[in-house]
């Protein structure tokens, strides 16, 4: 209650109370599983706070197979995130291919 206003009661089926000591622990567990999925596809992962970047080193003649490999990884991570009630932001990102840049959607 704040002043004369009473808040609505909301029953939450899954979550962690804001400020709980469990939040960082659960986040670490999620990230460990995410990193394991990237490794399964030979994809490297860079994470900072809630931003995660996937990257893959390859030779120019491996471009098509590497793009397919990265796409399979992103699809698998997307399925994992949906199963864990998380959202994957699929905005196009800029990628470096040696002296050229490309977009991966």
């Amino acid at each position: 209650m704040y002043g004369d206003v009473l808040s609505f009661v909301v029953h939450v089926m899954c979550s962690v109370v804001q400020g709980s000591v469990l939040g960082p622990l659960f986040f670490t567990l999620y990230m460990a599983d995410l990193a394991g999925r990237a490794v399964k596809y030979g994809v490297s992962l860079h994470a900072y706070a809630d931003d995660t970047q996937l990257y893959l080193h390859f030779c120019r003649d491996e471009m098509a197979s590497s793009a397919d490999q990265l796409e399979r990884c992103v699809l698998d991570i997307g399925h994992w995130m949906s199963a864990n009630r998380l959202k994957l932001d699929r905005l196009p990102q800029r990628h470096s291919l040696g002296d050229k840049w490309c977009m991966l959607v």
Side-chain angles (χ1 to χ4, degrees):
M1 181 180 230
Y2 181 76
D4 297 348
V5 180
L6 184 63
S7 299
F8 294 102
V9 174
V10 177
H11 297 280
V12 178
M13 303 305 288
C14 67
S15 187
V16 177
V17 177
Q18 186 173 2
S20 168
V21 296
L22 295 176
L25 174 65
F26 288 156
F27 181 76
T28 301
L29 293 173
Y30 274 129
M31 290 307 294
D33 201 15
L34 180 63
R37 291 193 178 263
V39 167
K40 180 171 106 174
Y41 292 92
V43 174
S44 299
L45 176 114
H46 176 79
Y48 181 78
D50 65 347
D51 182 41
T52 304
Q53 298 174 359
L54 301 173
Y55 60 96
L56 184 62
H57 295 277
F58 57 90
C59 297
R60 286 182 187 264
D61 60 339
E62 299 169 338
M63 190 180 309
S65 63
S66 296
D68 184 52
Q69 178 182 358
L70 190 56
E71 183 62 24
R72 284 193 316 269
C73 179
V74 170
L75 286 172
D76 186 24
I77 288 173
H79 292 141
W80 171 83
M81 290 183 79
S82 292
N84 286 284
R85 299 179 177 166
L86 300 170
K87 184 175 182 268
L88 178 63
D89 185 3
R90 291 289 307 256
L91 294 175
Q93 299 294 320
R94 178 171 88 152
H95 295 277
S96 169
L97 297 175
D99 59 345
K100 302 194 184 222
W101 287 90
C102 73
M103 297 294 284
L104 178 65
V105 180

